[in-house]
Amino acid sequence: MSTEPALMTLTAVAKAIANKQLSSHEVTRACLHRIAQWQPHLNAFMEIESEAALKAAEEADAALAKGEVRGALHGVPLAHKDMYYDAGKVVTCGSLIRRDFVAQTTSTALQRLNDAGSIRLGSLQMAEFAYGPTGHNAHYGAVRNPWSFPHITGGSSSGSGSAVAARLTFAALGSDTGGSIRMPAHFCGVTGLKVTYGRVSRAGAMPLSQSLDTVGPLAQTAEDCALLLQLMAGPDPEDLTASSAPVPDYMAATAASIKGLKIGVPTRFYVDDLDPEVARILDETIAVLKREGADIVKVELPDQRQLVSASQLVLAVEAAAFHKRWLIERPQDYGPQVLMRLQNGLAIPGVTYLEALRWRGAALAAHVAATASVDAVITPAAPVPAPTIAESDIGNAPGAEAVIQRLTRFTRPVNYLGLPSLAIPAGFTTTGLPVGMQLIGRSFDEATLLTIGAAFQRATDFHAKVPAIP
Amino acid sequence: MSRPSPKQIVAMADVAGVPINTEIAERVSNSIGPAFEGFAAIAGTLPFDLEPASYLLMQTAKVVK
């Protein structure tokens, strides 16, 4: 059986179904065939719902035959991180504690994709309660990187990164509180969009830190991310932090040129202590962007270590507060590392937490002033390519937090400032591991990042590489 | 601002209603300590009338190139 439809981009397959070049049933079968091949190696899915998906695909095809089109994703099969509430479905949040939790509502982001006609393939693995950047899960096992099984996927959206990279789903929702979309995008070689805080409703998405949580997609291309953002962005009466800022035409943005755009390269922090291969790929990425017409300039950013620290203080307290009841009643049901990190929040005084929140506006103002002359900033998504599962599976051992902080030090400042960031596949190490770069933009200016990302992907083919079936 | 000691953490966790032992408190101190140190230059220096909501104002402010 050909699995070729499963290799298409989200945008291309959605068009092919709408134009009746492919049926939803054919596409869904191709994805399920690939899932059956890869799942034993990857552990990317939490639940595979083959029968229901095929039935929904048949219904989508029947509707299309009658001229009824639900929306831009009519008949497109998708799977998402298992933390998006879907009424009537078990949503584990990657945890033992919520192993049998049945959602009573559907998250706004998911509902908007459903309303556009998407079909559910199942749910995707994740770090327990989205609190871990590696992809390990003490209860359900590590998710594997399709480019190299011994290496980590990154997390917390581990299943989303792995499944999109292996082309088991055309795209997947992830969430990003400290890098949880960009880490797996970087380590698995896919495109991931961390949106501006407030750009997409968080209603019905499992909370980790109400000040930092964002909902966003992982997909093959910037264009695919644009399509999903277009459908999800905008205000929501169920989430008053969802902004009513105008939603621009993101798809149009992906067709624009980057000629004349100014992209800043930080002079420190993001270029310090880089793995030599990451440094090489950063230089190569800059060269491509320059060739495509962007103006590359140096930028002096404020002290990023302070932003990292502030984000840690905010996240630790808010996560501990969400989990307090279970910390009292069911501490034995957490994995050791997640329990340790939740307990961190108990050690931070209220005054310190509030200082970290009070500083946020001033810190953003300083960043805006430092980057006023550029349209975006480019940095590696992480200082290193994927470490192995063995070397990073350290539970609550002394030094665990230091390992976590090293992996996420380039992503956390963006969450603290609430800025948008697009992670794009930018190259491979000599051993074949993907490396991603992140483009950091201005608040609510995802469009410029998508313009740059799409231009880079027109000039390169890193995003189109597919790992070989084992 | 210095990192809280394990003894202080035991007391704080107790007050928060989630008691932990000294061994866990030591681990927590090592784990979260660097965040306190990294934020030390900011702590205690913020203007009196700076509110967390200033972030939302800054987020929607127009950027002048």
Side-chain angles (χ1 to χ4, degrees), chain A residues 170-425:
Chain A
F170 296 99
L173 287 181
S175 65
D176 197 316
T177 304
S180 287
I181 287 174
R182 290 162 288 158
M183 287 287 102
H186 162 73
F187 291 129
C188 294
V190 301
T191 307
L193 178 60
K194 184 262 172 217
V195 301
T196 305
Y197 177 78
R199 180 68 294 180
V200 176
S201 167
R202 294 173 297 118
M206 179 213 78
L208 175 61
S209 163
Q210 73 270 18
S211 301
L212 305 174
D213 289 344
T214 55
V215 168
L218 292 97
Q220 280 188 49
T221 66
E223 191 183 34
D224 292 349
C225 288
L227 174 58
L228 293 173
L229 180 59
Q230 198 79 60
L231 295 167
M232 294 189 295
D236 176 16
E238 300 296 323
D239 176 6
L240 295 180
T241 68
S243 174
S244 55
V247 177
D249 186 340
Y250 296 116
M251 289 299 279
T254 62
S257 162
I258 61 168
K259 280 198 172 58
L261 285 185
K262 265 194 179 174
I263 301 175
V265 181
T267 52
R268 54 202 167 105
F269 185 75
Y270 294 100
V271 290
D272 299 338
D273 302 323
L274 289 184
D275 173 275
E277 299 224 66
V278 173
R280 167 182 61 82
I281 291 168
L282 172 62
D283 289 342
E284 290 168 359
T285 305
I286 290 167
V288 171
L289 293 171
K290 215 170 178 174
R291 211 164 49 232
E292 293 303 303
D295 191 5
I296 308 292
V297 297
K298 299 274 182 206
V299 283
E300 293 271 355
L301 297 177
D303 189 339
Q304 301 291 290
R305 288 165 305 179
Q306 292 171 346
L307 303 177
V308 171
S309 297
S311 82
Q312 273 181 275
L313 296 169
V314 171
L315 170 54
V317 172
E318 293 183 356
F322 276 119
H323 285 266
K324 184 176 172 184
R325 187 175 134 202
W326 291 329
L327 283 172
I328 295 168
E329 295 174 358
R330 304 182 63 175
Q332 72 285 358
D333 289 337
Y334 287 104
Q337 189 177 90
V338 173
L339 179 61
M340 175 197 79
R341 299 189 75 200
L342 288 171
Q343 287 166 333
N344 286 346
L346 303 171
I348 299 164
V351 169
T352 304
Y353 165 69
L354 269 174
E355 277 187 303
L357 279 180
R358 290 176 63 221
W359 185 52
R360 203 176 181 196
L364 180 57
H367 176 89
V368 168
T371 59
S373 66
V374 299
D375 297 287
V377 171
I378 187 165
T379 82
V384 291
T388 63
I389 291 172
E391 68 195 356
S392 59
D393 189 10
I394 46 176
N396 62 358
E401 189 66 29
V403 170
I404 291 165
Q405 294 309 321
R406 175 156 167 74
L407 288 177
T408 58
R409 72 187 168 112
F410 292 170
T411 51
R412 284 176 182 274
V414 175
N415 293 85
Y416 181 69
L417 297 175
L419 297 169
S421 171
L422 182 72
I424 48 171

